[in-house]
Amino acid sequence: MNEIQIYGEIGFWGVTASSVRDQLSQLNGDVTIKIDSPGGSVFEGISIFNAIKEYNKGKITVVIESLAASIASYIALAGDEIKAYDNSTFMIHNAWSFVYGDGNELRKTANILDGLTSLIGKKYISKTGKSKDEIKVAMDSESYYFGDEILDYGFCDEVISTENENTKEEFVALSIEKFKACCKVASEKYSTDEFVQAVAKLTKDGVLKAVENVNT
């Protein structure tokens, strides 16, 4: 069975788009992608999403094993079929970054983040069938979905039963701690310079143009 694991943070300090592309390039036939990630770099996540969507040698099944949060939730929706365990958590929120500079720099960054949020939100809308306003409220609120809620809201196609008896509160609390840890790592390692470099790469690849054209 062809399998790729996306475990841990997304980006330069964890799972990269180049590693996922390299793995996919060596495979033929159907692929299962297992995800347990608190998220990370939105730019790297978009590249991973695109790498998965470009795979044309078989069906892609994504399995959310424990956590698909932040940009990892977007990556999960690249699959042809999405499954989640009944004790897994799915979290969505607006794109954000660590940045410093003058007012012009901050306004420019805010515009980029608004565009990225809208781009990611469009995938949530198309997958769930929810309205733009519903998804906006959910992203603004940093929303967590647990087990059957992931299916009920439309983010996955099937829930895998584990006969789980733990509560949503227990697993979401753990998910929040994982996300906070990811944010701490990002704040230490993802500098403004790297943000600029990531924007430049997206511009080169033509992705930023798509970001600029979405409704914000």
Side-chain angles (χ1 to χ4, degrees):
M1 179 181 70
N2 294 322
E3 180 179 299
I4 293 176
Q5 297 174 348
I6 299 179
Y7 293 163
E9 292 81 9
I10 305 299
F12 301 114
W13 58 91
V15 181
T16 64
S18 61
S19 69
V20 173
R21 286 185 183 277
D22 288 345
Q23 291 179 76
L24 287 171
S25 69
Q26 299 173 35
L27 300 178
N28 285 289
D30 296 344
V31 179
T32 297
I33 298 178
K34 296 183 176 180
I35 296 180
D36 180 10
S37 171
S41 167
V42 64
F43 300 107
E44 202 75 9
I46 290 173
S47 293
I48 292 172
F49 177 95
N50 291 342
I52 296 170
K53 294 298 287 185
E54 290 166 7
Y55 184 79
N56 59 5
K57 294 178 286 185
K59 176 183 177 182
I60 296 280
T61 300
V62 170
V63 179
I64 302 169
E65 290 205 323
S66 176
L67 174 65
S70 191
I71 195 61
S73 66
Y74 180 72
I75 293 171
L77 302 188
D80 300 307
E81 182 178 18
I82 299 100
K83 300 180 181 181
Y85 282 94
D86 62 1
N87 57 2
S88 59
T89 305
F90 190 92
M91 185 272 270
I92 66 173
H93 69 160
N94 295 330
W96 54 281
S97 180
F98 302 92
V99 66
Y100 56 86
D102 62 16
N104 292 328
E105 184 67 26
L106 297 179
R107 278 186 287 271
K108 180 173 68 176
T109 300
N111 288 336
I112 293 172
L113 292 175
D114 285 345
L116 289 169
T117 294
S118 184
L119 179 68
I120 293 167
K122 284 189 172 184
K123 184 58 186 177
Y124 296 152
I125 292 167
S126 67
K127 176 60 183 175
T128 64
K130 303 294 184 183
S131 70
K132 179 180 177 180
D133 287 343
E134 287 177 293
I135 292 297
K136 184 180 186 305
V137 168
M139 295 179 75
D140 286 345
S141 304
E142 189 173 285
S143 299
Y144 288 79
Y145 304 90
F146 178 71
D148 288 335
E149 292 177 344
I150 306 172
L151 176 64
D152 293 342
Y153 207 84
F155 287 116
C156 74
D157 306 301
E158 178 184 335
V159 169
I160 303 169
S161 175
T162 64
E163 299 183 357
N164 167 59
E165 296 181 356
N166 296 87
T167 66
K168 173 181 177 179
E169 288 73 19
E170 291 172 319
F171 280 98
V172 169
L174 178 60
S175 299
I176 291 173
E177 289 306 310
K178 286 184 178 180
F179 179 63
K180 286 181 179 178
C182 175
C183 292
K184 183 176 185 297
V185 171
S187 67
E188 294 171 349
K189 296 188 177 182
Y190 198 70
S191 68
T192 299
D193 288 342
E194 288 170 327
F195 182 85
V196 171
Q197 291 169 11
V199 172
K201 182 179 185 300
L202 287 180
T203 303
K204 179 180 177 181
D205 293 346
V207 180
L208 189 58
K209 183 177 180 181
V211 170
E212 293 172 340
N213 288 335
V214 297
N215 294 322
T216 57

